[in-house]
Amino acid sequence: MTGLGSLVRLALRRSRWFYLAWVLALTSVVPLTAAAYEQIVDPGNADLLIATMTNNPTMRAMLGPPVDLTSAGGFTVWRVGTFVAAMSGIMAVLGVVRSTRAEEEDGRTELLRSGATGRHAPLVAGVLVTLLACAALGVAVAASMTAVGEPVAGSVAFGAGLALVGATFAGVGAVAAQLTASARTAKALGLWTSPRHTP
Amino acid sequence: MNAIELQEVTKRFGRTTALDGLSMQVATGEVHGFLGPNGSGKSTTIRVLLGLLRADSGTARLLGGDPWSDAPALHRRLAYVPGDVALWPNLTGGEVIDLLGRLRGGTDPARRAALLERFDLDPTKKGTTYSKGNRQKVGLVAALASDVELLLLDEPTSGLDPLMEAQFRAVISEERGRGRTVLLSSHILSEVEHLCDRVSIIRSGQVVESGTLAELRHLTRTLVVAELAAPVPEGLATAPGVHDAELDGHRITCQVDDTELGQVMSRLSALGIRSITSTPPTLEELFLRHYDESGR
């Protein structure tokens, strides 16, 4: 693992805008959905609307059975949770491949490996930085849910769930990068494995 | 002790044999030329030495260590420049030089500044804006600014203009003066001719010739053009060591084996030499001849 610190810093430097864009875009969906709930569901029509949404077979087919639509948090997790989780997986696959297989394909890893770096350090650095981005997504989601007035425990559980889905697919991306010779194939393989049933 | 020691190294990629029992030695402190056509195995050899590839069989020693298992420790003592330096698009040349230097345990700021000056390189530009030649310069400055024992240079001057090539030659001569060992792979033969103490010629994954340039020249012929006082006797054209002779009255043009040069010269001077030119073979000729003849 010689040289890991330098490689992590390099991967962060290389991909900071990539991860920042993903995390911001995915996080913004969450409080926007929670805010929309407050607008469409007012106390007068809440019961009727919730019953309609719960029993609508199309919505159930797309989003799964809702757990609790009486709160904005429960509604948000039901409406966009799967989508954001799937997207965090895609972010992780693309992110890991980007800083491992793609770098090697372009001949930059060779230059790094000619310095005092361990054989596995570039892969570990790429995975670590992606895990960091997944954690950042989790924290940002938990914070934004708390900020719109949802209970802390549920918000943290939602954020942690998203981060862990991302982390799982960081692993998928790492394996895909090892199995393939080109970054394109690695991304295709990783995404093929990713959750595809997104609304 | 030899800085590089390769014994019967074999490397296959699927059905392709890239290195086929390659053996070579590079002594500590020498500038060693590594010559061969594209695809002959030069880069594969260097990647084995860097521990980027593992040889299928044979032994490789680098600076007294094993290039595969001791890679990180050995890499603090060497620097590598590939034939095509790939840069990170959003890092400046200076940042890349510092990054690669850090991975080797630091660069000497004074040398870094001096090299930037000599190679006329602006380190503040982003990777995407550099031309091929400037990317090579980034790699060269990064490698040369580190205080390492061994330089592995894989066609490092590709894309450099003649002025910068001359600068490169001057810098490498200085490096030799500091006692650094250099392995310089090239197909720019004049570069090797000017710089190298010894040369290894590689072909189809094997070293086919190795030695000092003087030793290799013994295998070659000198072009002799002489104007004699008397008509050239027919027998001279078939004398031992004389090849491709053209006789034209008093004039003879021929190739002479370097080993027979003395004999041929005495015969010519016995006939009375009015004028003579002899042209030593360039490495190009040596190289072409080698591949022409052993290629068949």
Side-chain angles (χ1 to χ4, degrees):
Chain A
M1 287 305 121
T2 320
L4 187 61
S6 296
L7 295 185
V8 166
R9 254 182 298 164
L10 174 68
L12 274 174
R13 176 77 205 280
R14 270 287 280 151
S15 299
R16 54 189 175 183
W17 298 116
F18 170 86
Y19 287 122
L20 194 68
W22 270 97
V23 169
L24 284 182
L26 291 183
T27 306
S28 65
V29 173
V30 173
L32 286 177
T33 310
Y37 178 85
E38 308 292 352
Q39 282 177 5
I40 39 174
V41 184
D42 65 65
N45 67 4
D47 291 345
L48 179 66
L49 195 65
I50 289 167
T52 313
M53 285 195 291
T54 308
N55 299 319
N56 184 320
T58 315
M59 295 196 86
R60 287 180 73 96
M62 283 192 340
L63 304 173
V67 177
D68 172 23
L69 295 185
T70 59
S71 76
F75 173 76
T76 304
V77 171
W78 176 67
R79 182 66 190 82
V80 296
T82 323
F83 168 75
V84 176
M87 285 295 153
S88 74
I90 291 172
M91 171 186 86
V93 167
L94 296 181
V96 168
V97 173
R98 172 189 166 85
S99 48
T100 55
R101 179 55 66 208
E103 288 285 289
E104 183 166 358
E105 196 179 25
D106 291 343
R108 293 188 276 258
T109 304
E110 184 178 273
L111 216 51
L112 295 176
R113 290 269 290 104
S114 78
T117 48
R119 189 158 290 122
H120 305 297
L123 173 64
V124 174
V127 172
L128 276 181
V129 169
T130 305
L131 291 179
L132 205 65
C134 294
L137 174 69
V139 170
V141 165
S144 69
M145 289 293 273
T146 315
V148 295
E150 294 309 309
V152 174
S155 303
V156 169
F158 186 32
L162 294 176
L164 290 174
V165 171
T168 306
F169 283 94
V172 170
V175 172
Q178 299 309 299
L179 293 179
T180 54
S182 83
R184 275 178 81 102
T185 334
K187 285 174 186 169
L189 180 64
L191 294 181
W192 175 76
T193 324
S194 299
R196 275 160 295 163
H197 304 290
T198 58
Chain B
M1 193 195 71
N2 286 334
I4 294 173
E5 188 86 53
L6 293 168
Q7 289 291 335
E8 296 289 316
V9 171
T10 302
K11 178 70 194 175
R12 287 186 198 87
F13 298 107
R15 284 191 195 142
T16 318
T17 302
L19 300 180
D20 186 11
L22 179 137
S23 300
M24 82 184 231
Q25 287 82 37
V26 176
T28 302
E30 77 176 2
V31 178
H32 194 101
F34 193 30
L35 289 173
N38 295 333
S40 56
K42 297 192 297 288
S43 296
T44 306
T45 305
I46 290 179
R47 290 195 178 119
V48 167
L49 290 173
L50 282 169
L52 298 173
L53 294 174
R54 188 176 204 165
D56 296 328
S57 66
T59 53
R61 303 290 290 171
L62 181 80
L63 301 171
D66 181 304
W68 177 260
S69 53
D70 307 332
L74 290 175
H75 289 186
R76 282 187 217 287
R77 298 161 61 195
L78 64 84
Y80 163 64
V81 181
D84 191 358
V85 177
L87 299 179
W88 292 267
N90 61 341
L91 264 64
T92 66
E95 285 172 319
V96 172
I97 291 169
D98 294 338
L99 168 73
L100 295 177
R102 244 192 338 270
L103 287 174
R104 291 188 190 105
T107 42
D108 175 352
R111 270 185 71 71
R112 180 185 184 276
L115 285 162
L116 285 174
E117 179 85 11
R118 289 181 73 168
F119 282 112
D120 190 22
L121 178 70
D122 178 357
T124 61
K125 286 192 184 162
K126 296 273 186 196
T128 36
T129 63
Y130 285 121
S131 66
K132 167 83 176 88
N134 281 334
R135 283 189 279 124
Q136 287 308 116
K137 290 184 198 171
V138 170
L140 282 169
V141 172
L144 293 165
S146 311
D147 190 21
V148 292
E149 297 162 46
L150 172 66
L151 294 166
L152 295 174
L153 310 177
D154 191 3
E155 309 207 356
T157 57
S158 51
L160 290 190
D161 60 46
L163 211 64
M164 288 303 146
E165 271 179 43
Q167 195 62 258
F168 169 77
R169 280 204 280 268
V171 173
I172 295 298
S173 299
E174 292 164 27
E175 296 305 317
R176 176 175 34 204
R178 287 164 203 262
R180 295 208 215 187
T181 309
V182 182
L183 179 67
L184 174 65
S185 109
S186 185
H187 59 245
I188 303 168
L189 303 159
S190 60
E191 184 173 275
V192 172
E193 193 166 21
H194 284 106
L195 283 173
C196 295
D197 305 308
R198 286 173 66 233
V199 172
S200 289
I201 297 178
I202 178 174
R203 177 190 164 75
S204 310
Q206 290 177 320
V207 170
V208 288
E209 210 76 70
S210 194
T212 63
L213 284 176
E215 282 166 0
L216 294 189
R217 285 222 176 82
H218 276 288
L219 304 166
T220 66
R221 299 163 182 170
T222 300
L223 176 71
V224 175
V225 181
E227 185 90 36
L228 303 179
V232 185
E234 286 289 327
L236 202 55
T238 52
V242 176
H243 305 270
D244 305 331
E246 282 174 36
L247 308 183
D248 179 18
H250 291 239
R251 197 181 158 85
I252 178 168
T253 305
C254 61
Q255 306 270 350
V256 183
D257 284 345
D258 286 7
T259 46
E260 300 293 329
L261 206 50
Q263 285 293 327
V264 173
M265 282 316 204
S266 353
R267 288 190 66 174
L268 287 176
S269 60
L271 293 163
I273 299 173
R274 282 212 185 120
S275 79
I276 188 163
T277 59
S278 71
T279 317
T282 64
L283 213 43
E284 257 96 353
E285 283 161 338
L286 188 156
F287 198 52
L288 283 175
R289 185 170 159 243
H290 198 98
Y291 285 112
D292 273 2
E293 297 193 352
S294 55
R296 281 174 206 148

